[in-house]
Amino acid sequence: MKMERINYLNILISFLFLLALFSCDTTVGIDGTVINRSTGDKLEGVIVTMSSYYGEIIDTTDLNGNFSTERSYACGIRKCDESFKIDFEKDDFMG
């Protein structure tokens, strides 16, 4: 009986190890800089929203126009969805 438990435990540990080995991780989103196309100025205070299967990430550009919406996700054994949509919004901006 004790030997049987050890065999089941070894099988379970082996299965969990293989599951972890073949799990999928992905990175979704981008890092970037928002620049006014007309003037070439970097834009501060732009709200950047990245929407994906995994949820929504919101960032605001810094003094140099930089933003980051890139995040890593663990997908397990299913296929990772790497698609995303980016929206930019700034009050009173026409450009």
Side-chain angles (χ1 to χ4, degrees), residues 23-41:
S23 69
C24 172
D25 294 339
T26 191
T27 301
V28 176
I30 58 173
D31 296 341
T33 305
V34 178
I35 299 173
N36 183 324
R37 188 183 328 187
S38 301
T39 66
D41 294 337

Side-chain angles (χ1 to χ4, degrees), residues 16-92:
L16 292 174
F17 175 76
L18 288 173
L19 184 63
L21 187 63
F22 291 109
S23 69
C24 172
D25 294 339
T26 191
T27 301
V28 176
I30 58 173
D31 296 341
T33 305
V34 178
I35 299 173
N36 183 324
R37 188 183 328 187
S38 301
T39 66
D41 294 337
K42 296 176 180 177
L43 297 176
E44 178 185 8
V46 177
I47 298 170
V48 182
T49 305
M50 187 269 301
S51 304
S52 74
Y53 168 81
Y54 306 101
E56 198 171 81
I57 303 291
I58 299 173
D59 194 18
T60 303
T61 57
D62 63 16
L63 184 64
N64 297 311
N66 298 317
F67 68 92
S68 175
T69 62
E70 191 171 83
R71 299 294 185 274
S72 295
Y73 298 96
C75 305
I77 58 174
R78 69 180 188 278
K79 184 177 185 312
C80 295
D81 184 351
E82 297 177 356
S83 62
F84 61 92
K85 176 184 160 201
I86 295 279
D87 290 310
F88 301 91
E89 180 182 337
K90 182 162 176 65
D91 290 338
D92 301 325

